[in-house]
Amino acid sequence: DMALYLPNSLVKARYLGRETFDYLVFVEVERFDGALDGNITLTGWWYVINKNGNIITTQRIDIEQPTGSTYESLVQTDSNIVNTLARQISIFLSKGV
């Protein structure tokens, strides 16, 4: 989702290769759950680290959204929450860390 918000940047998952990046984003999830006819909650932290290994920022994640009564709505809400997180991180990165 971050690639949608940062169209002029190369956004991709980091694998165990020797590839280098200007910035790395790490997401530490404490909780990502929910229930039908309730809320879905995502809590945790995200970090941006530069290519020198220095932490540029640490931000708390606390997103909660209501879901409907179907599994389709549950999955859609999950997707919306991930998109919301991607947008938050992208806004920070687009300011020119």
Side-chain angles (χ1 to χ4, degrees):
D1 286 356
M2 286 178 52
L4 297 171
Y5 297 109
L6 298 168
N8 296 324
S9 300
L10 176 62
V11 178
K12 60 192 239 180
R14 179 180 178 212
Y15 297 103
L16 297 175
R18 297 186 184 271
E19 204 166 9
T20 59
F21 299 91
D22 291 335
Y23 299 100
L24 298 175
V25 176
F26 291 94
V27 177
E28 181 180 317
V29 175
E30 294 173 348
R31 177 181 175 194
F32 191 20
D33 63 7
L36 296 175
D37 288 325
N39 291 316
I40 295 178
T41 302
L42 172 61
T43 60
W45 296 90
W46 60 268
Y47 313 87
V48 176
I49 299 171
N50 67 15
K51 61 184 169 187
N52 297 322
N54 300 316
I55 296 175
I56 302 299
T57 192
T58 301
Q59 300 286 326
R60 178 85 179 137
I61 304 166
D62 192 10
I63 304 169
E64 185 172 71
Q65 294 181 2
T67 187
S69 60
T70 66
Y71 285 106
E72 182 179 83
S73 68
L74 186 86
V75 171
Q76 184 60 54
T77 303
D78 280 347
S79 179
N80 291 345
I81 287 177
V82 170
N83 185 273
T84 297
L85 176 59
R87 187 173 57 247
Q88 289 175 0
I89 296 169
S90 299
I91 288 169
F92 176 83
L93 292 172
S94 68
K95 291 179 182 176
V97 233

